[in-house]
Amino acid sequence: MAKNKCSSKDVGLAIGLLFGRYLFKAEDLHYGLWPEGLAVEPANIPIAQAKHSEFIISNIPQGVKTILDVGCGAGQLASKLIARGFEVDCVSPSPVLTEATRAKVGQRSAIYETKYETLNTDKKYDLVIFSESFQYIPVNEALRQSIRFLKPSGHVLICDFFATDAPGESPLYGGHNLAKFRETSKAHPLEMLKDIDITRETAPNLDLVNGMMQNLLKPVWDIIINFLKERHPVLSKFAFWKYRKKMDRMNDKYFSGRRNGENFSRYKSYRLFLFKRS
């Protein structure tokens, strides 16, 4: 199966993995789940991410033995599932993350190095899992492929955030429209068994990221900009003029302070869906 070229998203995920490993000793690339009583602070990120994985595992139906983990990240969830006795195969479109997954699961899992939309295999599974990977795949293609790879009584579990219809322009990107997803899912032979809203428990992640942006990355960015202006005034003036729109977008996206838990709770809805093939 042909390998995919490394994209900017792959680079971002790889950097995120390195930061997580170094700063927090965390291997997960997904949001954390913050139950009441768990202090929202960087030191607790590994705990919150572990609770997110446990939440997914706790919602796996009885009788499931074989699992297809779509967009497996660095293989952390797959490794946990294998340790619980499940037989897990992975779909990994990122060359960087594929290597991280292979280092973690070894020969215990088959890794399909392709996008889910182009996956082609005769194997059938009891469960297809999307842990924050569903948002990257067109809804109809994701559901059609899942039905194709499911056993007759198989399940689909989706744990991801969706966009709401809240008025105003969202400062947060990503996620399929929730209402449209619900409507589209009805066109497929799938029965919805669970729809669990965990927006409140996941929104604190945005406050942590926003704090890091405002208190760490923005000051570093300002230092670099001021250094360039002092050392290379003419060149920096031209560069800032030429790329001013990109820089304005970046400042608005990362340093405006609007990417926070309050706006996440307004414009996004983080949910776990469980479907059964009907």
Side-chain angles (χ1 to χ4, degrees), residues 92-134:
S92 178
S94 165
V96 174
L97 297 181
T98 296
E99 293 307 311
T101 299
R102 184 170 286 112
K104 191 171 272 77
V105 302
Q107 300 301 314
R108 298 178 297 169
S109 173
I111 304 176
Y112 301 109
E113 300 179 57
T114 182
K115 292 182 178 180
Y116 191 50
E117 302 94 307
T118 56
L119 175 61
N120 187 25
T121 178
D122 293 328
K123 294 184 71 172
K124 305 294 181 183
Y125 300 88
D126 297 317
L127 175 68
V128 175
I129 283 182
F130 299 87
S131 176
E132 285 184 25
S133 57
F134 192 79

Short mmCIF file of all heavy atoms in Angstrom, two decimals, residues 92-134:
data_model
loop_
_atom_site.label_atom_id
_atom_site.label_comp_id
_atom_site.label_asym_id
_atom_site.label_seq_id
_atom_site.Cartn_x
_atom_site.Cartn_y
_atom_site.Cartn_z
N SER A 92 -3.02 4.54 9.77
CA SER A 92 -2.15 5.69 10.06
C SER A 92 -1.70 6.35 8.76
O SER A 92 -0.83 5.83 8.08
CB SER A 92 -0.93 5.25 10.88
OG SER A 92 -0.07 6.36 11.11
N PRO A 93 -2.28 7.50 8.40
CA PRO A 93 -1.87 8.18 7.17
C PRO A 93 -0.59 8.99 7.32
O PRO A 93 -0.06 9.50 6.33
CB PRO A 93 -3.06 9.10 6.87
CG PRO A 93 -3.63 9.40 8.22
CD PRO A 93 -3.43 8.16 9.05
N SER A 94 -0.09 9.14 8.55
CA SER A 94 1.09 9.97 8.80
C SER A 94 2.33 9.11 8.92
O SER A 94 2.42 8.26 9.82
CB SER A 94 0.90 10.77 10.09
OG SER A 94 2.13 11.29 10.54
N PRO A 95 3.33 9.30 8.04
CA PRO A 95 4.57 8.52 8.14
C PRO A 95 5.26 8.67 9.49
O PRO A 95 5.79 7.71 10.04
CB PRO A 95 5.44 9.08 7.00
CG PRO A 95 4.47 9.67 6.03
CD PRO A 95 3.34 10.20 6.87
N VAL A 96 5.25 9.88 10.03
CA VAL A 96 5.91 10.13 11.31
C VAL A 96 5.23 9.35 12.44
O VAL A 96 5.88 8.67 13.25
CB VAL A 96 5.93 11.64 11.63
CG1 VAL A 96 6.48 11.89 13.03
CG2 VAL A 96 6.74 12.39 10.59
N LEU A 97 3.90 9.44 12.48
CA LEU A 97 3.17 8.77 13.55
C LEU A 97 3.12 7.26 13.34
O LEU A 97 3.01 6.51 14.32
CB LEU A 97 1.76 9.35 13.65
CG LEU A 97 1.69 10.83 14.03
CD1 LEU A 97 0.25 11.30 14.13
CD2 LEU A 97 2.42 11.09 15.34
N THR A 98 3.21 6.83 12.11
CA THR A 98 3.27 5.38 11.85
C THR A 98 4.49 4.78 12.52
O THR A 98 4.42 3.71 13.14
CB THR A 98 3.32 5.10 10.34
OG1 THR A 98 2.10 5.54 9.74
CG2 THR A 98 3.49 3.61 10.06
N GLU A 99 5.62 5.46 12.42
CA GLU A 99 6.84 4.95 13.06
C GLU A 99 6.70 4.93 14.57
O GLU A 99 7.17 4.00 15.24
CB GLU A 99 8.04 5.82 12.63
CG GLU A 99 8.39 5.69 11.16
CD GLU A 99 8.57 4.25 10.72
OE1 GLU A 99 9.30 3.50 11.40
OE2 GLU A 99 7.96 3.85 9.71
N ALA A 100 6.06 5.96 15.12
CA ALA A 100 5.84 5.99 16.57
C ALA A 100 4.92 4.85 17.00
O ALA A 100 5.15 4.20 18.03
CB ALA A 100 5.24 7.33 16.98
N THR A 101 3.90 4.58 16.20
CA THR A 101 2.97 3.48 16.50
C THR A 101 3.67 2.14 16.40
O THR A 101 3.51 1.27 17.26
CB THR A 101 1.76 3.52 15.55
OG1 THR A 101 1.07 4.75 15.72
CG2 THR A 101 0.81 2.37 15.84
N ARG A 102 4.46 1.97 15.36
CA ARG A 102 5.17 0.70 15.16
C ARG A 102 6.13 0.43 16.32
O ARG A 102 6.27 -0.71 16.77
CB ARG A 102 5.90 0.71 13.82
CG ARG A 102 6.60 -0.62 13.49
CD ARG A 102 7.11 -0.67 12.09
NE ARG A 102 6.04 -0.83 11.11
CZ ARG A 102 5.66 0.10 10.24
NH1 ARG A 102 6.28 1.27 10.22
NH2 ARG A 102 4.69 -0.12 9.39
N ALA A 103 6.77 1.48 16.81
CA ALA A 103 7.69 1.31 17.94
C ALA A 103 6.94 0.90 19.20
O ALA A 103 7.49 0.21 20.06
CB ALA A 103 8.45 2.61 18.18
N LYS A 104 5.67 1.30 19.29
CA LYS A 104 4.90 1.00 20.50
C LYS A 104 4.22 -0.37 20.44
O LYS A 104 4.19 -1.09 21.44
CB LYS A 104 3.85 2.10 20.70
CG LYS A 104 3.18 2.05 22.05
CD LYS A 104 2.33 3.29 22.26
CE LYS A 104 3.09 4.44 22.86
NZ LYS A 104 3.96 5.18 21.99
N VAL A 105 3.65 -0.74 19.28
CA VAL A 105 2.88 -1.98 19.21
C VAL A 105 3.65 -3.14 18.58
O VAL A 105 3.24 -4.29 18.70
CB VAL A 105 1.55 -1.76 18.44
CG1 VAL A 105 0.73 -0.67 19.10
CG2 VAL A 105 1.80 -1.44 16.98
N GLY A 106 4.76 -2.84 17.91
CA GLY A 106 5.58 -3.89 17.31
C GLY A 106 4.80 -4.74 16.32
O GLY A 106 4.09 -4.21 15.45
N GLN A 107 4.88 -6.05 16.47
CA GLN A 107 4.19 -6.97 15.57
C GLN A 107 2.81 -7.36 16.08
O GLN A 107 2.15 -8.23 15.51
CB GLN A 107 5.05 -8.24 15.40
CG GLN A 107 6.42 -7.98 14.82
CD GLN A 107 6.36 -7.33 13.45
OE1 GLN A 107 5.58 -7.75 12.58
NE2 GLN A 107 7.17 -6.30 13.25
N ARG A 108 2.36 -6.71 17.14
CA ARG A 108 1.06 -7.07 17.71
C ARG A 108 -0.10 -6.49 16.93
O ARG A 108 -1.26 -6.85 17.18
CB ARG A 108 0.98 -6.59 19.16
CG ARG A 108 2.04 -7.21 20.09
CD ARG A 108 1.93 -6.64 21.48
NE ARG A 108 2.20 -5.20 21.50
CZ ARG A 108 1.96 -4.42 22.54
NH1 ARG A 108 1.43 -4.94 23.64
NH2 ARG A 108 2.25 -3.12 22.49
N SER A 109 0.19 -5.62 15.99
CA SER A 109 -0.88 -4.95 15.25
C SER A 109 -0.46 -4.75 13.80
O SER A 109 0.70 -4.44 13.51
CB SER A 109 -1.17 -3.58 15.88
OG SER A 109 -2.08 -2.84 15.11
N ALA A 110 -1.41 -4.93 12.89
CA ALA A 110 -1.19 -4.57 11.49
C ALA A 110 -1.45 -3.08 11.35
O ALA A 110 -2.44 -2.56 11.86
CB ALA A 110 -2.12 -5.35 10.57
N ILE A 111 -0.55 -2.37 10.68
CA ILE A 111 -0.70 -0.93 10.50
C ILE A 111 -0.91 -0.64 9.01
O ILE A 111 -0.03 -0.90 8.20
CB ILE A 111 0.53 -0.17 11.01
CG1 ILE A 111 0.80 -0.50 12.49
CG2 ILE A 111 0.33 1.33 10.85
CD1 ILE A 111 2.06 0.13 13.05
N TYR A 112 -2.08 -0.11 8.69
CA TYR A 112 -2.37 0.28 7.31
C TYR A 112 -1.88 1.71 7.11
O TYR A 112 -2.44 2.65 7.67
CB TYR A 112 -3.87 0.19 7.03
CG TYR A 112 -4.47 -1.18 7.25
CD1 TYR A 112 -5.32 -1.42 8.33
CD2 TYR A 112 -4.20 -2.23 6.39
CE1 TYR A 112 -5.88 -2.67 8.53
CE2 TYR A 112 -4.76 -3.49 6.58
CZ TYR A 112 -5.59 -3.70 7.66
OH TYR A 112 -6.16 -4.94 7.86
N GLU A 113 -0.86 1.87 6.30
CA GLU A 113 -0.25 3.18 6.09
C GLU A 113 -0.95 3.89 4.93
O GLU A 113 -0.41 4.02 3.82
CB GLU A 113 1.25 3.03 5.81
CG GLU A 113 2.00 2.36 6.96
CD GLU A 113 3.48 2.20 6.66
OE1 GLU A 113 4.15 3.22 6.37
OE2 GLU A 113 3.95 1.05 6.70
N THR A 114 -2.12 4.38 5.20
CA THR A 114 -2.94 5.01 4.17
C THR A 114 -4.04 5.84 4.81
O THR A 114 -4.31 5.71 6.01
CB THR A 114 -3.59 3.94 3.27
OG1 THR A 114 -4.35 4.57 2.24
CG2 THR A 114 -4.52 3.04 4.07
N LYS A 115 -4.67 6.70 4.04
CA LYS A 115 -5.86 7.38 4.51
C LYS A 115 -7.00 6.38 4.60
O LYS A 115 -7.06 5.41 3.84
CB LYS A 115 -6.25 8.51 3.54
CG LYS A 115 -5.28 9.67 3.51
CD LYS A 115 -5.79 10.75 2.57
CE LYS A 115 -4.85 11.96 2.56
NZ LYS A 115 -5.34 13.02 1.65
N TYR A 116 -7.92 6.63 5.52
CA TYR A 116 -9.04 5.71 5.70
C TYR A 116 -9.89 5.63 4.44
O TYR A 116 -10.41 4.55 4.11
CB TYR A 116 -9.89 6.16 6.88
CG TYR A 116 -10.91 5.15 7.33
CD1 TYR A 116 -10.55 3.83 7.58
CD2 TYR A 116 -12.24 5.51 7.53
CE1 TYR A 116 -11.48 2.89 8.01
CE2 TYR A 116 -13.19 4.60 7.97
CZ TYR A 116 -12.79 3.28 8.20
OH TYR A 116 -13.73 2.36 8.63
N GLU A 117 -10.00 6.74 3.73
CA GLU A 117 -10.83 6.77 2.52
C GLU A 117 -10.32 5.80 1.45
O GLU A 117 -11.10 5.34 0.61
CB GLU A 117 -10.88 8.17 1.93
CG GLU A 117 -11.42 9.24 2.88
CD GLU A 117 -10.33 9.95 3.64
OE1 GLU A 117 -9.49 9.26 4.28
OE2 GLU A 117 -10.31 11.19 3.59
N THR A 118 -9.02 5.50 1.46
CA THR A 118 -8.43 4.64 0.43
C THR A 118 -8.04 3.27 0.97
O THR A 118 -7.41 2.48 0.26
CB THR A 118 -7.20 5.31 -0.19
OG1 THR A 118 -6.25 5.64 0.85
CG2 THR A 118 -7.58 6.59 -0.92
N LEU A 119 -8.40 2.98 2.22
CA LEU A 119 -8.07 1.68 2.81
C LEU A 119 -8.79 0.56 2.06
O LEU A 119 -9.99 0.66 1.77
CB LEU A 119 -8.48 1.65 4.28
CG LEU A 119 -8.29 0.31 5.01
CD1 LEU A 119 -6.83 -0.13 5.00
CD2 LEU A 119 -8.83 0.40 6.43
N ASN A 120 -8.07 -0.51 1.78
CA ASN A 120 -8.65 -1.65 1.08
C ASN A 120 -8.15 -2.94 1.74
O ASN A 120 -6.97 -3.26 1.67
CB ASN A 120 -8.26 -1.63 -0.40
CG ASN A 120 -8.97 -2.70 -1.20
OD1 ASN A 120 -10.05 -3.17 -0.83
ND2 ASN A 120 -8.37 -3.12 -2.30
N THR A 121 -9.04 -3.63 2.41
CA THR A 121 -8.70 -4.89 3.06
C THR A 121 -9.94 -5.77 3.12
O THR A 121 -11.07 -5.26 3.16
CB THR A 121 -8.14 -4.67 4.48
OG1 THR A 121 -7.87 -5.93 5.09
CG2 THR A 121 -9.12 -3.90 5.35
N ASP A 122 -9.73 -7.08 3.15
CA ASP A 122 -10.84 -8.03 3.27
C ASP A 122 -11.18 -8.34 4.73
O ASP A 122 -12.16 -9.04 5.00
CB ASP A 122 -10.50 -9.34 2.54
CG ASP A 122 -10.39 -9.16 1.04
OD1 ASP A 122 -11.12 -8.29 0.50
OD2 ASP A 122 -9.58 -9.86 0.40
N LYS A 123 -10.38 -7.83 5.66
CA LYS A 123 -10.62 -8.13 7.07
C LYS A 123 -11.89 -7.42 7.57
O LYS A 123 -12.23 -6.32 7.12
CB LYS A 123 -9.42 -7.70 7.91
CG LYS A 123 -8.15 -8.50 7.62
CD LYS A 123 -7.01 -8.11 8.54
CE LYS A 123 -7.25 -8.59 9.96
NZ LYS A 123 -6.05 -8.38 10.81
N LYS A 124 -12.56 -8.07 8.50
CA LYS A 124 -13.76 -7.52 9.13
C LYS A 124 -13.54 -7.41 10.63
O LYS A 124 -12.83 -8.24 11.23
CB LYS A 124 -14.98 -8.40 8.85
CG LYS A 124 -15.23 -8.68 7.38
CD LYS A 124 -15.62 -7.41 6.61
CE LYS A 124 -15.89 -7.74 5.14
NZ LYS A 124 -16.20 -6.52 4.36
N TYR A 125 -14.15 -6.42 11.24
CA TYR A 125 -13.89 -6.11 12.65
C TYR A 125 -15.20 -6.02 13.44
O TYR A 125 -16.27 -5.71 12.89
CB TYR A 125 -13.13 -4.80 12.77
CG TYR A 125 -11.77 -4.83 12.08
CD1 TYR A 125 -11.65 -4.50 10.73
CD2 TYR A 125 -10.64 -5.21 12.76
CE1 TYR A 125 -10.41 -4.54 10.09
CE2 TYR A 125 -9.40 -5.26 12.14
CZ TYR A 125 -9.31 -4.92 10.80
OH TYR A 125 -8.08 -4.97 10.17
N ASP A 126 -15.07 -6.25 14.75
CA ASP A 126 -16.21 -6.08 15.64
C ASP A 126 -16.48 -4.61 15.92
O ASP A 126 -17.61 -4.23 16.23
CB ASP A 126 -15.95 -6.79 16.98
CG ASP A 126 -15.79 -8.29 16.84
OD1 ASP A 126 -16.57 -8.90 16.10
OD2 ASP A 126 -14.87 -8.85 17.48
N LEU A 127 -15.43 -3.79 15.86
CA LEU A 127 -15.56 -2.39 16.22
C LEU A 127 -14.58 -1.54 15.42
O LEU A 127 -13.41 -1.90 15.27
CB LEU A 127 -15.28 -2.20 17.72
CG LEU A 127 -15.25 -0.77 18.27
CD1 LEU A 127 -16.65 -0.16 18.22
CD2 LEU A 127 -14.71 -0.73 19.70
N VAL A 128 -15.07 -0.40 14.93
CA VAL A 128 -14.22 0.63 14.32
C VAL A 128 -14.23 1.83 15.26
O VAL A 128 -15.30 2.32 15.63
CB VAL A 128 -14.73 1.04 12.93
CG1 VAL A 128 -13.88 2.20 12.38
CG2 VAL A 128 -14.68 -0.14 11.96
N ILE A 129 -13.04 2.28 15.66
CA ILE A 129 -12.91 3.41 16.59
C ILE A 129 -12.30 4.62 15.90
O ILE A 129 -11.31 4.50 15.17
CB ILE A 129 -12.03 3.02 17.81
CG1 ILE A 129 -12.81 2.15 18.79
CG2 ILE A 129 -11.53 4.26 18.54
CD1 ILE A 129 -12.02 1.78 20.03
N PHE A 130 -12.91 5.77 16.14
CA PHE A 130 -12.34 7.07 15.74
C PHE A 130 -12.13 7.88 17.02
O PHE A 130 -13.09 8.30 17.65
CB PHE A 130 -13.29 7.84 14.83
CG PHE A 130 -13.63 7.17 13.53
CD1 PHE A 130 -14.69 6.27 13.46
CD2 PHE A 130 -12.92 7.46 12.37
CE1 PHE A 130 -15.02 5.67 12.26
CE2 PHE A 130 -13.26 6.87 11.17
CZ PHE A 130 -14.31 5.96 11.11
N SER A 131 -10.90 8.09 17.41
CA SER A 131 -10.60 8.93 18.56
C SER A 131 -9.95 10.22 18.05
O SER A 131 -8.75 10.26 17.77
CB SER A 131 -9.66 8.21 19.55
OG SER A 131 -9.30 9.07 20.61
N GLU A 132 -10.78 11.25 17.88
CA GLU A 132 -10.36 12.55 17.34
C GLU A 132 -9.76 12.44 15.94
O GLU A 132 -8.91 13.25 15.56
CB GLU A 132 -9.39 13.25 18.30
CG GLU A 132 -10.11 13.83 19.50
CD GLU A 132 -9.19 14.62 20.43
OE1 GLU A 132 -8.15 15.13 19.97
OE2 GLU A 132 -9.53 14.73 21.62
N SER A 133 -10.21 11.47 15.18
CA SER A 133 -9.79 11.35 13.79
C SER A 133 -10.97 11.49 12.84
O SER A 133 -10.78 11.70 11.64
CB SER A 133 -9.12 9.98 13.55
OG SER A 133 -9.99 8.92 13.90
N PHE A 134 -12.19 11.42 13.38
CA PHE A 134 -13.37 11.48 12.52
C PHE A 134 -13.49 12.82 11.82
O PHE A 134 -13.95 12.91 10.68
CB PHE A 134 -14.63 11.21 13.36
CG PHE A 134 -15.86 10.95 12.56
CD1 PHE A 134 -16.08 9.72 11.97
CD2 PHE A 134 -16.81 11.94 12.37
CE1 PHE A 134 -17.21 9.46 11.21
CE2 PHE A 134 -17.95 11.71 11.61
CZ PHE A 134 -18.16 10.47 11.03
#
